[in-house]
Amino acid sequence: MKRNIKSIMVSCILCTGFSNIGYSATTAQLQSTLQKYGVPKASDCGTINEAHYNGSAPECQHIGMYYDKENRRCEECPLGTATDSKTDTSCKPIICPDGYGGTIIKDGLCPAGYGLFQITGGNCPDGTRLIKI
């Protein structure tokens, strides 16, 4: 009886294995699917570099980061570049309109004579505005 059960199980496994050959995916197809849905590599799980699928695209946890499809992770934009949304896949150079200039703030330290305030939704917090000190 045990021999018959083993034979049936082996037959089922072989049949299942051969029947799936026509439906196998290539490495490129698997990689493309992992990229499309933002499936992170194990080393990025639980870190700031982990993208989350929002129902239509991989999304970084912070603006200022872009989704690197090749590496399936969120990366910070290089200095002097920025993103428009959490789903961007590249950074754009920051270009100030004529008559305006920008100052890059590194590590949260403002240049001498300036103060930094958190601005959310395009509005300064009550009672604050961005001014030269």
Side-chain angles (χ1 to χ4, degrees):
M1 185 68 173
K2 287 186 179 185
R3 182 178 268 176
N4 287 340
I5 293 174
K6 280 186 180 179
S7 296
I8 292 170
M9 288 180 67
V10 168
S11 296
C12 288
I13 291 170
L14 288 174
C15 289
T16 304
F18 286 119
S19 67
N20 287 334
I21 288 174
Y23 299 106
S24 63
T26 65
T27 302
Q29 289 170 324
L30 290 172
Q31 181 68 11
S32 176
T33 301
L34 294 172
Q35 291 171 346
K36 178 180 178 181
Y37 294 102
V39 177
K41 294 183 179 178
S43 59
D44 290 325
C45 290
T47 70
I48 195 170
N49 300 99
E50 179 183 7
H52 299 147
Y53 188 70
N54 68 10
S56 61
E59 182 175 276
C60 294
Q61 298 173 47
H62 301 285
I63 290 182
M65 296 183 85
Y66 70 97
Y67 179 65
D68 179 354
K69 287 170 59 172
E70 186 69 27
N71 294 309
R72 299 190 337 251
R73 69 190 318 248
C74 293
E75 297 280 356
E76 288 191 32
C77 286
L79 205 55
T81 64
T83 57
D84 295 323
S85 73
K86 293 179 179 182
T87 57
D88 282 348
T89 56
S90 64
C91 298
K92 301 171 186 97
I94 298 171
I95 300 172
C96 295
D98 288 345
Y100 291 87
T103 301
I104 295 174
I105 299 172
K106 297 180 189 176
D107 301 324
L109 302 174
C110 291
Y114 288 85
L116 180 66
F117 296 92
Q118 180 67 36
I119 298 172
T120 55
N123 297 314
C124 290
D126 287 342
T128 61
R129 63 180 186 206
L130 190 59
I131 57 169
K132 185 174 184 339
I133 300 174

